[in-house]
Amino acid sequence: MIMDLKPKRKKGYQSPQGMHDILPSEQGYFRKIYTVCEDIAQFYGFEKIDTPIAEITELFSKGIGISTDIVEKQMYTFRTKGRDWLTLRPEGTAPVVRAFFEHGMQNLPQPIKLWYFGPFFRYEHPQAGRFRQFHQFGFEVLGEQSPAIDAQIVQIFYNILKELRFKKLIVEVNSIGDSQCRPYYKKLLVSYLKYRADSLCANCKRRVRENPLRTFDCKEEKCQRVRAQAPQIINHLCEECHKHFREFLEFLDELELPYSLNPYLVRGLDYYTKTVFEIFSTSADGSGGSAEAQKKLSEGGEERDLSKNALIGGGRYDNLGKILGNERIPACGGAAGIERIVQVLKEKGSKIPQPHYPKIFLAQLGNLAKKKSLKLFEEFRKNRILLSESFGRDSLKAQLRSADRSGVTHTHFGPKRSIGRDYYCERYENWHSGDDKIRKSGKGDEKKIKKIIRIPLE
Ligand code: AMP
């Protein structure tokens, strides 16, 4: 189980802490999420991009911001034999912007709409919903500044969760201004926080100097009390940011997408400007909700037992192009944590479509039959007929047992030299000895056996 924080066993190799196998039984969830993303991407005109797992370290330290948690503490950075510093990608937006410039996409008709799906790496303290290797899918629109795009991005992520049958979703939105208005707001906030420094935790005292907005993310109760009285950025937006935010909200209203304003939502990455958003699911779906969302829900009499992990987060990042490519490219996007979505799907008991399993089992008796059956198996494949086999086993009994386990409804007996003709077997719910269930195909037998897949022998 990927989600279990299993205690480390002493013996044998284990996957690295915070990194997990995705077992066959869990592949269906990932496949389902991928298919939903792919369909939605196609509908909204997004094209898929895969960027490398590792990038030059500077891409993240410059792009995400030197004093963010990710760059400060969470990057897997290593030096190659060629003495380059590389980092396992902790997020997808900076690599997408790098690829945008590297491939001259700024010269193509704008906007450029890209989506991705893959593994990401952050050296975090492993806990529920927080892993060191995790998967995200993301949608990014580059080269468009209209707030309509911000609303559409939120709508896309909302739709994906709805397609995955999430019922109660909480969309939180905020604006964190831009390089015009944020510096002034930061000053205001710093002077407020300095005044209350005694009431802050040690971490937040440090954040006041380095990244004061990050104090809003602190889970410590005393810091949240300080936060509750802090000046709110939406009251200090410049005219342009204010207009952008107002229009963004109007678009959401028009789309009838339910959202709530969280004036303390700031997101952990420095590159955001203007719009930021996060999406949670409520406990009715199995998890979710920020402190603000919890408060609102409890006021509304809804379930209170909410975890604090967002499923999806994103926003506008108009300055990232300037930082990474020296060209201002307005852009907006977001990313979803796939493990967190899978966890909620599991908790909800969501039925995930299973792959098509074979209904026919190809059994063989004797060495020559085995050889011929191997070839026959390939014939089935060419004709796109699914079937299972147990070529490693000689005994008929063992093979039929294997057929039972694979849940097939019919067994086809491959060619047998001594008999030189086809044998068929009806599948029985509980077979006992094997041989007594084998039916020799003869005149009229086809009628007795419901489904016969007849393969002509050479
Ligand atoms: P972020 O890139 O931090 O904005 O995160 C976007 C989404 O990715 C979050 O809302 C989570 O669902 C997911 N996520 C981020 N970090 C982790 C992690 N360490 N483990 C699992 N999921 C994560």
Side-chain angles (χ1 to χ4, degrees), residues 70 90-91 122 124 129-132 134-136 267 269 272 310-314 335-340:
I70 292 182
E91 61 94 52
R122 292 184 194 171
E124 309 220 39
R130 205 164 275 276
F131 308 106
R132 291 182 173 170
F134 56 98
H135 294 75
Q136 285 187 338
R267 315 267 308 119
L269 306 97
Y272 286 114
L311 297 175
I312 292 170
I338 297 171
E339 278 80 358
R340 290 188 192 172

Side-chain angles (χ1 to χ4, degrees), residues 15 21 23 31 48 52 62 67 92 164 169 173 196 227 248 250 282 286 312 351 383 418 441 444 457:
S15 62
D21 303 309
L23 297 173
R31 219 172 11 245
K48 178 128 190 277
K62 265 178 94 176
S67 60
L164 291 168
L169 293 171
V173 298
R196 304 267 188 311
R227 190 186 74 173
F248 164 62
E250 282 168 9
T282 70
I312 292 170
K351 293 253 179 320
N383 288 294
S418 59
S441 66
L457 291 176

